[in-house]
Amino acid sequence: MSRSAAPSWALLLVLCGAIFLEGLDIGMLNVALPPIRAELGLSTGELQWVMSGYVLGYGGFMLLGGRAADLFGRRRMFLVPLTVFLVFSGLGGLATEGWMLIAARFVTGVCAAFMAPAGLSIITTSFPAGPRRDRALLIYSGTGGGGFSIGLVAGGLLTAADWRWVFFAPIAPALLVLLAALPLVPKDSVPRRPRPRVDVAGAITVTAAVLLLVMAVEQAAHAPALRTMGTLATALALLAAFVAVERRTPTPLLRLGILRSRPLVRAGVMGLLFTAGFFGFQFLAVLYLQEFRGWSAAETSFALLPMGADAVLAPTLTPRLVRRFGHARVIVAGLLLAALGYALFLPVGADWTYAAMFPSLLLVGIAFALVHGPLAIVATDRIASCEQGLAGGLLYTSVQFGAAFGLSAVTAVTTAAGGGNVPFTPLGGYRAGLVVPTAAVVIALLIGVLGMRERRPGRAVRSGRRTRPSGSTEPAGTGSVSRPKEE
C-alpha cells in the first residue's frame, strides 16, 4: 500500500468501526429482550417498542440525516451523532422504567440516521470512483453486517451475566472509534459560501411522514385496523404536502429530479424487499429456536452465526465477483441464493436437526454479502458529490423501512396462521410466516432481472475521462447517464 493510500484506508477503518458498533448494537439487543421484559415488567406492546423505537428514529430521520451531511458537513454530521450515540447507548443500561429504555433507543436510532449516511458519503467522496471505491463500500457494508452477526453471539453471552451489559459493553470501543475519528475524518473541502438555507417545511413534513409510515407498518400486526389506516392516511397526506413544498422551495431538502435515477430507485426498492426478507427470516428463526425449541439465548446466537458469513465474504469475495461479472449480476445471484435459502427453510419441522437448518442460514449469509454492498454502490454511482449524502439517506431509508415492514408482516402472518396466539407456538404459523421473506426476495429478484434486461448490449456509458462498455461493471439500468461534473 502506498503512503498516499494509507490515510484513506485508515479513515475507512474508523468508518467501519462506527458502522460495526451500529450493527453490534442491534444484534445484541435482539437476544436480550426476554430478560429485559422480566426485570422491567414490560408488556408485549412495550417490549415491541424497545425494538421499534430504534427503527422509528432510524427510519424517520434518515432522509433528513443524509441531506444534513451535504448541507452542514459530513465530518460534523458523523462526529456529533457518534458522540450522542455513545452516551445514550450507555444510558439505556441505566433504565429502570420501560419508557426510559424506549426513549434511549429512539435517540440512538436518530443518531444512527445521521451517522450512517454521513459515513457512506465520506467514503464516496474520499475514494475515487472505480475499483477502490467499490472495494471500500463493500468492506463498509460487510462490516456492518458482521457487527450484527457478532452482536447476536455477544448479546447472548452478555445477557447470561446481565442484560444491562448489552448497553454498557459498546461504550469503550465507541469511545476509541470517536478518538480515532477526530484526526482522521477529513474536514469538508468546500468553498466559503453563505450559510445554507434549510428547507424547514420540507424537513418537518417528510420526517413526520416517514415516522408515521414506519409507525403504521410497525403497529399493523397488533393495533386496531382503524388506527393503522388513520396513521397511514396521515403519512400519505404529509408525503403529498412534502412533494408540494419541494416543488416550490428554491432550496429543497430532496431534489425531486434525483428520483429520475433508475439505479437509485431500483436499488432502494430491492434494498427494501431484501431487508424485509432478511429481518423477517431472522426474527422467525429466533422465535423458532428459543420459543418453540427451548434453546438458550447463547445457543441461538451461535446457531445463527452462519448468517454472518458476509463479514468475511463482503470484503474478500464480493469485490472480485463485481469486477468479473458486474454489480447487476452479483446482486441477482445474491437474491437467487436468498430465495433458495428461505425456500429450504419453509418445511421446518418440530425436531429438525441443526444440520437441516445450516444450509439456509449459510445461504442467507452469503446472499447478504452479494446484495447489500453492491446495492450501495449502485445507489451512489453517478450521483453528484453534493448529493451523495442524500442518495445514501434515500437508500438507508428504504432499507430501514424494509426492516420494519418485514418484522410487521411476518408477525401478522404468523399470528393469523397460528390461530391468533401471541406466543408464536404453532409450527404452522412459522411456516406461513416464512412465505413473507420468500415472496419479498422473489419480487426483488424479478426487479433485478428486469433491470438487467433494460441494459442494451453494445451501448457505451460515459464515465469521466473514459468510456466503458455497459457489459462491464456498470450497475443495471444506468443507461447513458454521464457522471456529473462535480465528481
Side-chain angles (χ1 to χ4, degrees):
M1 183 184 297
S2 66
R3 290 189 178 184
S4 61
S8 294
W9 293 108
L11 169 64
L12 178 63
L13 182 63
V14 169
L15 298 174
C16 285
I19 201 70
F20 177 85
L21 288 171
E22 180 194 333
L24 187 76
D25 181 77
I26 300 172
M28 289 197 299
L29 184 62
N30 278 354
V31 293
L33 292 177
I36 289 175
R37 168 156 60 180
E39 181 169 333
L40 298 184
L42 303 181
S43 65
T44 301
E46 289 174 322
L47 185 68
Q48 185 256 349
W49 274 107
V50 172
M51 287 294 292
S52 298
Y54 184 90
V55 172
L56 194 64
Y58 202 160
F61 285 83
M62 183 67 72
L63 184 58
L64 179 60
R67 191 57 178 147
D70 295 329
L71 291 176
F72 301 106
R74 300 173 179 93
R75 174 184 170 88
R76 181 184 302 170
M77 289 298 105
F78 179 79
L79 294 178
V80 174
L82 177 59
T83 303
V84 181
F85 183 94
L86 185 158
V87 172
F88 274 83
S89 181
L91 288 177
L94 299 175
T96 56
E97 299 288 342
W99 68 267
M100 297 179 184
L101 185 55
I102 293 170
R105 296 301 297 165
F106 178 78
V107 174
T108 53
V110 173
C111 292
F114 282 82
M115 187 172 61
L120 181 65
S121 61
I122 288 172
I123 292 176
T124 56
T125 54
S126 299
F127 288 81
R132 288 188 68 218
R133 180 193 289 181
D134 290 356
R135 183 173 178 81
L137 286 172
L138 292 171
I139 292 173
Y140 182 72
S141 300
T143 303
F148 177 81
S149 303
I150 293 175
L152 291 174
V153 177
L157 298 176
L158 291 171
T159 301
D162 192 324
W163 64 266
R164 296 181 185 276
W165 280 106
V166 167
F167 297 93
F168 295 146
I171 293 178
L175 184 59
L176 290 176
V177 170
L178 178 62
L179 293 176
L182 290 173
L184 288 173
V185 175
K187 295 181 179 180
D188 296 278
S189 56
V190 295
R192 290 185 176 274
R193 59 186 179 184
R195 186 178 182 87
R197 293 181 59 185
V198 180
D199 178 16
V200 177
I204 293 174
T205 51
V206 75
T207 302
V210 177
L211 279 170
L212 290 176
L213 197 59
V214 174
M215 186 181 296
V217 172
E218 285 285 354
Q219 69 183 13
H222 54 81
L226 189 60
R227 184 197 304 173
T228 301
M229 294 301 296
T231 305
L232 181 60
T234 305
L236 295 177
L238 286 169
L239 279 178
F242 170 70
V243 172
V245 169
E246 299 308 280
R247 288 183 181 276
R248 300 185 180 206
T249 181
T251 56
L253 179 70
L254 169 61
R255 185 179 64 83
L256 298 178
I258 199 174
L259 298 178
R260 296 194 187 105
S261 170
R262 290 187 180 182
L264 174 58
V265 173
R266 186 177 293 116
V269 175
M270 288 193 293
L272 186 156
L273 293 168
F274 178 75
T275 309
F278 180 83
F279 273 83
F281 175 77
Q282 179 263 333
F283 178 69
L284 288 175
V286 169
L287 289 179
Y288 169 74
L289 293 174
Q290 286 191 282
E291 300 286 343
F292 189 80
R293 297 293 296 272
W295 290 22
S296 68
E299 289 172 330
T300 301
S301 299
F302 282 109
L304 297 179
L305 196 56
M307 293 178 66
D310 63 290
V312 177
L313 299 179
T316 56
L317 176 64
T318 307
R320 298 179 183 178
L321 294 177
V322 166
R323 286 196 299 269
R324 176 68 178 84
F325 300 104
H327 306 131
R329 291 186 178 91
V330 172
I331 290 171
V332 167
L335 293 171
L336 188 60
L337 289 179
L340 178 60
Y342 298 148
L344 289 175
F345 214 84
L346 282 172
V348 60
D351 55 353
W352 260 25
T353 63
Y354 183 67
M357 309 175 207
F358 181 81
S360 290
L361 300 174
L362 182 61
L363 285 173
V364 172
I366 297 173
F368 198 95
L370 299 182
V371 175
H372 190 62
L375 279 179
I377 296 173
V378 172
T380 56
D381 190 46
R382 300 185 177 274
I383 299 296
S385 60
C386 61
E387 292 186 322
Q388 285 288 329
L390 175 60
L394 286 168
L395 176 64
Y396 281 129
T397 297
S398 300
V399 167
Q400 201 61 32
F401 182 77
F405 175 75
L407 290 170
S408 178
V410 298
T411 300
V413 172
T414 304
T415 303
N421 297 321
V422 175
F424 311 103
T425 51
L427 194 59
Y430 294 121
R431 292 172 179 160
L434 286 167
V435 173
V436 174
T438 306
V441 80
V442 167
I443 296 172
L445 177 61
L446 292 176
I447 294 172
V449 171
L450 290 175
M452 290 179 62
R453 289 172 62 88
E454 284 185 10
R455 300 170 64 191
R456 304 187 186 281
R459 288 185 67 181
V461 180
R462 288 184 295 171
S463 177
R465 299 179 181 176
R466 58 188 178 137
T467 300
R468 294 187 291 179
S470 63
S472 61
T473 59
E474 291 302 319
T478 51
S480 58
V481 181
S482 57
R483 187 178 298 280
K485 292 182 180 179
E486 289 89 336
E487 293 188 3

